[in-house]
Amino acid sequence: MSRFSWANWRLGWKIFASYLVIIVVGVVVLATAAEMVAPASFARHIAQMETLQGSGAAMAADLFANYQAAVNEALFLAASAAFLAAVSISLFVSRRIVIPIREMMLASRRIASGKYHERIQVVGEGELGELAQTFNQMAATLEQTEVRRLELIGTVAHELRTPLASIQGYMEGLLDGVIPAEPATFELVRQEADRLQRLVQDLQELSRVEAGQVKLERRPLQVAAVVATTVEKLRPQFEAKGVTVEHDVPPDLPPVLADEDRVGQVLLNLVGNALHYTPAGGRVSLRTSVVSSQTRPDNSLATGDWLLTTVSDTGIGIAPEHLPHVFERFYRADKSRSRAGGGSGIGLTIARHLVELQGGQIWAESAGPGRGSSFHFTLPVAPDRH
């Protein structure tokens, strides 16, 4: 295709050309109509004049020539005025349309080069204004994604560096004879290696769930059995820490359509977090109930029957500004808190993806620091097969 084809023209020239084509077509149609209709009409009027007053053929020819010249002059003046109007209107429209689009184009190029802070000015409330707002929202989302990507790289590097530095320190101490080669030392090295392995496994799991590559075997499932299994699995840790655990899950609840292993993984993470952040003498409770047509935190309406499971604790609580971020990767409300005694920091992120992959929703609530927290998640009730 030629570089001078219509598709390669700039938008301003296209607008001007479209107006010019309309004018040319109008002038041609008007001139053709005048050429076809005017002579016959003029001849009739001359015949009437000859009948009433009498006139010669020379006068009639002269009148027709003058009439035709006047029509052509009028068409020329009209075409010139229309041409000037087309230029003025196309310039006005181009400034209103082409300039904002050109700003978006230049801003998009800067964003593509890594300048994610770029924004464009929103002018008006029409389609261009909406497009500008959408463009700015896209740019803001890309900027947040880039910030999170950089934070993720830094956090992963930090999480890997800490156990690696410990292992390196122990090994150098063993080689120099500063640290005794005894089972306790090797146990410490093994614990740091376990931390590395858990982090790598969690990152692999997170990449799979975020890509939707987790295989789910959804079948009718009794949540009460999964809750009881989770509580019994963690009961020794609750007793060792001195935290009370209780669960209120009626046995006659309808089954949910879910993957048993993945639901157990979600519960294990939520209950384990509640235990970790609840001091001795505190309490962790689990309860499940049926809800219908639930309004989710994103203001969407979840129709049908859902089983709502809540894990509540009397632990350290969560500040309101941190609640929207608790399901983000490696997010910590207390930046100074070490993860040596905790998990990898992406368990809640994995839990959120697992719940959403099964058609549910998960969110957190807290009255504030020191007032405990509650984590809720829903799963769809299995359809009645009878």
Side-chain angles (χ1 to χ4, degrees):
M1 181 179 295
S2 173
R3 60 177 298 182
F4 298 104
S5 64
W6 169 264
N8 293 329
W9 284 23
R10 292 189 176 274
L11 182 58
W13 286 107
K14 289 182 180 179
I15 294 174
F16 173 72
S18 64
Y19 289 148
L20 192 59
V21 167
I22 293 174
I23 292 171
V24 170
V25 171
V27 170
V28 170
V29 171
L30 182 60
T32 302
E35 186 70 23
M36 295 175 63
V37 175
S41 177
F42 185 81
R44 285 196 303 269
H45 286 289
I46 291 298
Q48 292 176 359
M49 290 176 61
E50 289 177 349
T51 302
L52 295 175
Q53 300 178 356
S55 61
M59 180 180 293
D62 185 60
L63 287 174
F64 181 76
N66 291 333
Y67 170 77
Q68 194 172 31
V71 170
N72 291 335
E73 183 179 356
L75 287 175
F76 175 77
L77 292 176
S80 300
F83 177 81
L84 293 176
V87 172
S88 302
I89 294 175
S90 63
L91 288 175
F92 174 77
V93 173
S94 297
R95 290 183 63 86
R96 300 283 295 180
I97 297 178
V98 177
I99 291 179
I101 293 178
R102 186 174 300 167
E103 290 179 357
M104 294 183 197
M105 179 182 65
L106 295 176
S108 64
R109 289 178 179 174
R110 290 191 291 268
I111 290 175
S113 64
K115 299 178 181 178
Y116 297 102
H117 61 280
E118 287 289 335
R119 301 292 185 273
I120 59 175
Q121 184 179 1
V122 178
V123 180
E125 298 181 355
E127 288 81 358
L128 283 175
E130 294 178 0
L131 178 60
Q133 291 179 351
T134 304
F135 182 91
N136 288 338
Q137 291 174 357
M138 178 199 67
T141 301
L142 288 174
E143 185 179 15
Q144 294 175 1
T145 301
E146 178 65 11
V147 170
R148 291 178 181 176
R149 184 185 70 85
L150 295 176
E151 289 179 349
L152 175 62
I153 293 174
T155 306
V156 171
H158 173 74
E159 295 294 328
L160 292 172
R161 187 185 302 114
T162 302
L164 284 173
S166 298
I167 293 175
Q168 183 180 10
Y170 285 126
M171 297 307 297
E172 289 178 354
L174 288 170
L175 291 173
D176 295 338
V178 178
I179 300 177
E182 55 186 23
T185 303
F186 296 120
E187 176 62 22
L188 292 173
V189 175
R190 187 192 65 80
Q191 291 176 2
E192 296 299 329
D194 287 344
R195 286 182 59 191
L196 280 174
Q197 186 176 15
R198 286 196 305 270
L199 177 60
V200 172
Q201 290 175 347
D202 288 344
L203 287 173
Q204 289 177 338
E205 180 76 5
L206 178 61
S207 65
R208 286 196 296 267
V209 297
E210 287 187 333
Q213 298 177 351
V214 176
K215 183 179 180 181
L216 297 175
E217 297 181 2
R218 300 177 67 186
R219 60 170 66 96
L221 172 67
Q222 293 293 339
V223 174
V226 184
V227 170
T229 300
T230 302
V231 170
E232 290 305 316
K233 187 179 296 184
L234 294 176
R235 189 176 295 278
Q237 300 179 32
F238 276 95
E239 294 176 351
K241 191 173 181 179
V243 176
T244 304
V245 58
E246 55 188 29
H247 56 96
D248 180 16
V249 183
D252 57 347
L253 288 175
V256 295
L257 188 62
D259 186 302
E260 181 175 0
D261 293 336
R262 298 305 181 179
V263 175
Q265 184 178 351
V266 172
L267 279 171
L268 194 64
N269 182 274
L270 296 181
V271 178
N273 276 354
L275 171 63
H276 182 70
Y277 294 109
T278 301
R283 184 180 69 259
V284 175
S285 59
L286 293 84
R287 62 182 184 275
T288 303
S289 60
V290 179
V291 295
S292 299
S293 300
Q294 175 193 342
T295 302
R296 298 175 174 177
D298 58 3
N299 294 324
S300 63
L301 186 65
T303 57
D305 291 334
W306 302 78
L307 228 59
L308 172 65
T309 301
T310 300
V311 179
S312 302
D313 62 65
T314 59
I316 63 174
I318 305 171
E321 64 269 20
H322 297 305
L323 277 175
H325 307 287
V326 294
F327 293 99
E328 295 178 4
R329 309 183 198 98
F330 298 107
Y331 187 82
R332 284 180 290 182
D334 184 0
K335 303 300 181 181
S336 63
R337 186 183 301 276
S338 173
R339 258 195 209 109
S344 62
I346 55 179
L348 288 177
T349 308
I350 295 174
R352 174 171 63 88
H353 285 287
L354 289 178
V355 170
E356 292 176 351
L357 284 174
Q358 298 180 85
Q361 185 84 9
I362 187 170
W363 66 98
E365 294 178 347
S366 177
R371 304 180 65 181
S373 57
S374 298
F375 286 81
H376 314 269
F377 70 93
T378 58
L379 291 172
V381 171
D384 190 0
R385 298 175 179 269
H386 300 288

